[in-house]
Amino acid sequence: MRIEFDRDACIGMFQCVVEWEAGFEEDRDTGKAVLVDGENVEGGVYARDVPEDAELDAKFAARACPVDAISVYDDDGEQIV
């Protein structure tokens, strides 16, 4: 499973941090979340693989984002959230 985070779209509600504390951190200086261990894949989009034991948390983080800045993909590359 893979997660992508569009940091430019983030509005700093930090619901992702609440849902997946090990996956997202608050950056109060910029007012945006940070995807922990995320790699910049294009522009302001960051991505990383999701550990198997955190898959449910990653899905909850994506669903909780009020601006849909987070997407989750299965191992076949299909978007599931």
Side-chain angles (χ1 to χ4, degrees):
M1 181 175 287
R2 186 163 181 80
I3 191 165
E4 290 187 2
F5 170 58
D6 184 345
R7 193 160 193 262
D8 293 337
C10 179
I11 61 171
M13 296 298 294
F14 304 120
Q15 293 302 308
C16 55
V17 177
V18 171
E19 295 297 338
W20 187 21
E21 292 179 6
F24 286 92
E25 294 176 345
E26 294 181 18
D27 182 347
R28 293 285 179 175
D29 292 334
T30 63
K32 296 186 180 272
V34 175
L35 178 61
V36 175
D37 296 329
E39 176 183 317
N40 191 338
V41 292
E42 78 174 73
V45 178
Y46 294 80
R48 67 172 274 195
D49 291 330
V50 177
E52 285 187 33
D53 64 341
E55 289 181 352
L56 189 59
D57 293 332
K59 291 177 189 175
F60 280 142
R63 288 186 180 112
C65 181
V67 293
D68 297 325
I70 304 168
S71 302
V72 178
Y73 299 88
D74 66 16
D75 292 334
D76 295 324
E78 295 287 326
Q79 185 173 354
I80 55 177
V81 179

